[in-house]
Amino acid sequence: MKIAIHRNPATIGDHLAARILAELRTANAAGRPYVLGCPGGRSPMPVYVALERQLAAAPVDCSNLVIAMMDEYLLSGPAGFSLPPSSAHYSCRGFGQREIVGRINSALPDAMHLPDVNFIMPAIAAPEAYDAQLAALGGIDLFLLASGAGDGHIAFNPPGSARDSRSRIVTLAEQTRRDNLATFPDFQGLDEVPTHGLTIGIGSIASLSKSVAMIVWGEGKREAFRRLATATTYDPSWPATIAIECQNVELHADTAARTEP
């Protein structure tokens, strides 16, 4: 795994946004989709902010860009599971629409707006079909990944997830839910955090990604950095270590997260 240490989260964002736009230009020239795997939450936000800024300065045609989200919370009710409204503060779908697609669209001239059809995520009715959908697009060109601070969850895959797991509905680990109290501070307590979610699988990430950028920053991610920097194979007790088994993987951290292996 290539490890890159940056001064701060903003420089991580600048570096990866520049890479994404360069690769998107190449995809545009070839007339093919460019699939960007995106988590929600704090870790990738510097990338999304930098994309907006760089696109405003030098617009790029985003009609071939496909935003592929990793996961979504599920609400439980008498009729089974349902998606939260995209307006909910914790909705991953809403996050993607506001913080990724919204930022890209706001930076571009009207004629270059990203079509809604290019925003995809797993579906409740057949979550496993997400893998086939991504494969049909040629795989994920660059998957931005993040590690849970307390238990190493990746997307909503809890500790103990099988190496070959595919996109599916999961029960969220309690530590994952506690981590997300910080990710979504409008939660008033653990009881408000949903207990289930849709997630791309561990095996899905490994088999469908052409390249991976794992992002960890801040003092709270020091254990995540240590676990990822020293991993030699997938460790189900820290699911984010699947990154080590992906193609063309890079670990991007800031100086606050870096620990000596």
Side-chain angles (χ1 to χ4, degrees):
M1 181 190 294
K2 178 182 177 182
I3 299 176
I5 306 299
H6 304 261
R7 291 193 312 276
N8 52 45
T11 54
I12 296 175
D14 288 340
H15 174 85
L16 290 174
R19 173 183 172 180
I20 290 164
L21 294 180
E23 293 180 356
L24 176 57
R25 291 186 186 98
T26 299
N28 286 345
R32 65 171 183 83
Y34 181 79
V35 183
L36 181 65
C38 294
R42 294 168 293 170
S43 293
M45 270 300 297
V47 181
Y48 307 145
V49 170
L51 277 173
E52 180 180 20
R53 182 173 60 253
Q54 292 182 23
L55 280 168
V60 178
D61 182 359
C62 289
S63 59
N64 288 321
L65 178 62
V66 180
I67 301 299
M69 298 298 289
M70 297 183 75
D71 49 25
E72 178 59 294
Y73 285 105
L74 293 177
L75 304 178
S76 301
F81 293 119
S82 62
L83 294 173
S86 60
S87 59
H89 68 91
Y90 57 88
S91 167
C92 301
R93 176 171 49 122
F95 178 96
Q97 292 168 345
R98 293 186 300 271
E99 302 295 346
I100 308 175
V101 176
R103 287 179 179 277
I104 290 169
N105 281 345
S106 69
L108 293 175
D110 288 344
M112 298 174 71
H113 275 187
L114 181 71
D116 290 342
V117 70
N118 288 351
F119 177 83
I120 62 174
M121 61 190 309
I124 297 177
E128 67 282 353
Y130 195 47
D131 293 11
Q133 184 180 14
L134 291 168
L137 287 166
I140 300 166
D141 290 277
L142 175 62
F143 213 144
L144 305 176
L145 297 177
S147 169
D151 62 1
H153 66 269
I154 189 168
F156 278 149
N157 291 283
S161 292
R163 167 63 177 77
D164 62 353
S165 60
R166 314 308 293 184
S167 298
R168 65 205 189 283
I169 293 174
V170 297
T171 300
L172 304 184
E174 181 175 329
Q175 185 59 54
T176 299
R177 295 171 67 226
R178 291 188 181 281
D179 284 352
N180 286 338
L181 286 174
T183 302
F184 301 101
D186 285 349
F187 282 130
Q188 297 301 304
L190 189 63
D191 289 347
E192 291 190 4
V193 183
T195 58
H196 291 79
L198 276 168
T199 185
I200 192 169
I202 296 292
S204 310
I205 294 170
S207 65
L208 292 168
S209 300
K210 299 176 184 177
S211 60
V212 158
M214 174 65 73
I215 303 168
V216 295
W217 54 264
E219 293 182 1
K221 292 296 179 78
R222 286 181 175 174
E223 177 63 9
F225 178 86
R226 186 190 71 80
R227 296 287 293 256
L228 291 162
T230 59
T232 58
T233 189
Y234 175 60
D235 178 356
S237 72
W238 199 269
T241 54
I242 190 56
I244 199 68
E245 297 192 13
C246 294
Q247 300 182 66
N248 304 312
V249 58
E250 298 176 351
L251 173 59
H252 292 271
D254 70 346
T255 54
R258 182 179 187 176
T259 56
E260 293 300 324

